[in-house]
Amino acid sequence: MNTIIDKIRSEFHREANAIKDLKDLEPLRVKFLGRKGLLSTSFDRISELPKEQRPLFGKALNELKKELENEYQNLIKQFKAKEEQKRKLDLTLPGRRPFIGGKHPLLIVADEIKDIFRSLGFSIEDGPEIENDFFNFEALNIPKTHPARDMQDTLYVTDDILLRTHTSPVQIRVMQRQKPPIQMIAPGRVYRRDTPDASHSPFFHQVEGLVVDEGITFADLKGIIQAFAHRMFGEDVKVRFRPSFFPFTEPSAEYDFSCVFCKGRGCRVCKNTGWMEISGAGMVHPNVFKAAGIDPETYTGYAFGMGIDRIAMIKYNINDIRIFFENDVRFLNQF
Amino acid sequence: MKVTYRWLKEFVDFSETPDELAELLTEAGLEVEEVTPLVQPFSGIIVGKVEQVQKHPNADKLSVCQVRTDKGTFQVICGAPNVKEGQFVPFAAVGAELPIGMKIKRAKIRGVESLGMICSKEELGLETHSEGIWAFDRELPLGKDVYELLEADQDWVFDIAVTPNRGDCLSVYGIAREVAALTGNKLKPLNSEVEESLETKIDEIVKIHIHDPEGCPRYAARVIRDVKISPSPDWMQRKLEAVGLRPINNIVDITNYVLVELGHPLHAFDLRQIEGSEIHVRSSEAGDRFVTLDDKERLLPENTVMICDAAKPVAIGGIMGGQNSEVSGQTKDVLLESAYFKPERIAMSSKKLGLSTDASQRFERGADPENVIRALNRAAALMAELAGAKIAKGICDVYPSPLKEKEIPFKADKINRLLGTRFSEELIKEKLTSIQLKVNEGKVIVPTFRHDLSIAEDLAEEVARLVNYSNLPAKDFTTIFYDMPQSDHEKRIQYLRTELLALGLQEIFCQSMVKYEEAEPFAESAPIRIKNPVSDDMACMRPSLFSGMLKAVSYNLNRNNRDLRFFEIGRIFTSFDRENIPTQPYAVAAVITGRRDLPNWNVPEEFVDFYDIKGYLETFLQKLFLDNYKIILYDNARYMAAGESVAVRIDDEIVGVCGRLNPEVCGIFDIERAVYGFELNVDQLQKYMIFDRQFQPIPKFPYSERDIAFLLDEDILAADVVEYVRKNGGSLLKSVEIFDVYQGENIPEGKRSLGLRLRYQSTERTLSDQEVDKYFQQIINKTTKHFSASLRK
Ligand SMILES: [Zn+2]
């Protein structure tokens, strides 16, 4: 009787010692502790024993079962621990990376410009890219015979409908629907009949600014451009105004920022002048006010423009405007 | 406009250096783009004397010369026929470098040693072609640096960008007037004296009639006889060349010279070709044709000012002369025209003719009617001097109604109010008079050369630029008000961008002008064409963002950037009635192609498909605060692949499409891979986006889920089943998700298994299993019956 118990126990130990892997534990359980395992069949054979031996044998079997189950659980723990050690991560392997997007650099700069003007109290306006002759030219004091209207410069859809050559038509649209005071910018795409090269694109992006109220002067215009220059490129940037000509402003000005690369000392980028041409500005011409239905005797105002592409090129030191519209991911990923 | 420093000095005495002058002009609104010295500086060329000239023993055309300098005598082989003993010449010794970039080396020419070079003007960069060496016209100290000799005569060319309003500055004299005002010096008067050496009066020779005084307010002429056509003198040729004009002959050069000097275009006719010796100024009629002196027959725009003789037109007034009357080598007598044409008329004709000349540019921007006689006299005097001509008595000057000087009320306070300054009346007056405006009794009188000044604002600019813009005050920025709400449009666009960026898409910014072929497939009817496109590549406006985006995809694929996820927000250009500006709504679009995941060591390589783009679309739509959108089967967009595209419908409006781009359309862009995308019309979408939302409390009670798999005919659409279950599942059914779709082993042919997970939840209590089971069983029964489905075991 005891020999059977001992036999099962020693067989269990022998087989358990031979086990190398967690997955081999299950067959061990099935063989000894399973429903049709060695212990169960031994219980079944109790009836074969003489009556007086049966309780003792049963008790011994039960104790053995408890003992083996205990050992079996310990084995599982041991192997699981071993397995765990084996599966240790190689932390130097690269992680699974998700696709990630990003903003287009021109729109990053547009956002920055908009934020600056928004913080200065300007509203942001929008207008159509295909415009009427009236809004793009006539209302801006550029009559039919004006040299600026050369077929060379403007892209036409019909004789009277064209791709806007500047964002200035938005000025007129806003003034027509809103009484002063007005303080707005209008960013957007504009078109010119230019052959593409490193510094020209037949479409590019402008921000138009307009402020109209009683008592607005050229000194206000100089102030706002200075404020913008400082916020965009830093406090040490100087601004220079030069007389110029635009049919829709009088007096008109061209404004330059001191070169951000050489701090105005002169370098290749600024062609040794120390200045970077930015864009034009001026006091709104009375004829423009008249076309927009605003009384030029009561109100004065200033308007300015700036090229988003140009500012982005300065900011990121890019020397070919076309790279913005190629959308090469190797370029875009840098922003 | 090009002028030279010395030419300006003929009219104003100023002491500024070329660079200082350039800065002054630029700051006054005459932007000097470049200052270039006329003689490019060089060094190492010295004065030598030709001591001896002998024939080269082995070459007929070469001479062996001995040139003496301060450093000794050098033997030089020279090929110029004009080399002579006793000449003082520019000499380049061995080692010297010529301004044209040539280095002098010790050489053996046909067996005879040569130790330097006698230079021509061409070799020193002083003229474009020389016939022989340059021999100085006087004795000079040997060894003297030749550039130093020239430096005393050095001149600088100023290239000035004259703005279109400043027609008066398209001349040396006009710019000199500005220089005088800016430097505080006096402008010298022009010399326009003429010696009329013929007894014959002009009136006896020609008659002039203006039939179109609106187009030509003034027409004047002189008759010049016995001209001897020849090259003009050196000094004139050099000045013309310096400002970019090619010398032709003395008569043409004189008219050009006066054009540059005074800014007034003249025209010289061969008098013999003027039939009837009559000039008639009239306007053209529709269909008139004319051969200009460049040998081109041109169709004349109606209402072009034409200069005619008794029988035929002889010139397009103010634009270009005719071939039939131009001055030639045989010309003896010249009719010299000086006229004033109305700027608008010249601009109109020049534009319609596509013909822009030095003359038309001046008349277009406004010449000075008072210059008519000055220019005529100046040219006549030069012709007498340089072409040996004789000038008939008098001028034929037809000027029926002289143009008056404009008057502007003088209001110092208005100027100050505009500039934000406090200039005294005296200062303002002084500035205005410095540019030859007269201030009298509360009025400013504007001379006829300043067409651009007509209102007080114009005067403000004059004062400002003469004071210098840098000296005007700048006000610290203070915002005037403003309680301006941000536009909803701007807010929404930014919102869409943020959500797309959050989805991991890259923002791109594409061309809006595309090829016809790239636009056509996306256009509902025809794409909007540009009448005068930059090129065929940019002939149409994009009817869909896909037009530009597929170009960007193609560009990247060609450069082996293969995994792309792009989005763009921008205007598209749709319906157009040719009367009003086209509808140009904002659209938002995404395109994806390539691998589903970034390649990695433990990620299997799979490529994006329809369900990826649909997933992007669904996630995006979920974030847009839309109430009732539906994704429906849609095959109406021909640029989408058949059987692989859906649309987004809100109410009864289709607001966008989604799916695979039609492979044939991709082919137009040379894209062979599968590209998936969606595009939504933002203007339509905007109407349905409702940002004002009430917060919905998070349910307090737990949910119960039940799974069921239906065996259905494979043609039954998943969305229909889900929709049916959702509608008929009772109020406690919160959501229906598809967790499994299966066809294949164990599923009968023609059937499909669809696994649904139903979630039940109440806002008021915890649901009991029995209750959930009851509703669950009810919907299973209804669904099986409705779709003739069975349950998958
Ligand atoms: Zn610089």
Side-chain angles (χ1 to χ4, degrees), chain A residues 259-271 274:
Chain A
C259 178
V260 297
F261 299 103
C262 61
K263 306 273 171 226
R265 282 187 299 269
C267 68
R268 195 183 46 81
V269 180
C270 59
K271 292 184 194 125

Side-chain angles (χ1 to χ4, degrees), chain B residues 551-579:
Chain B
K551 261 182 136 148
V553 168
S554 170
Y555 186 92
N556 277 287
L557 293 178
N558 285 335
R559 280 153 188 81
N560 260 325
N561 307 326
R562 287 174 300 183
D563 305 312
L564 307 171
R565 276 138 210 256
F566 289 153
F567 83 88
E568 185 177 13
I569 299 176
R571 283 189 191 276
I572 55 173
F573 304 89
T574 54
S575 56
F576 182 38
D577 61 9
R578 303 196 70 78
E579 286 302 314

Side-chain angles (χ1 to χ4, degrees), chain A residues 16-31:
Chain A
N17 283 337
I19 286 177
K20 298 236 155 39
D21 208 90
L22 182 66
K23 65 179 194 298
D24 298 329
L25 274 175
E26 178 64 10
L28 182 76
R29 192 190 61 81
V30 173
K31 180 173 177 186

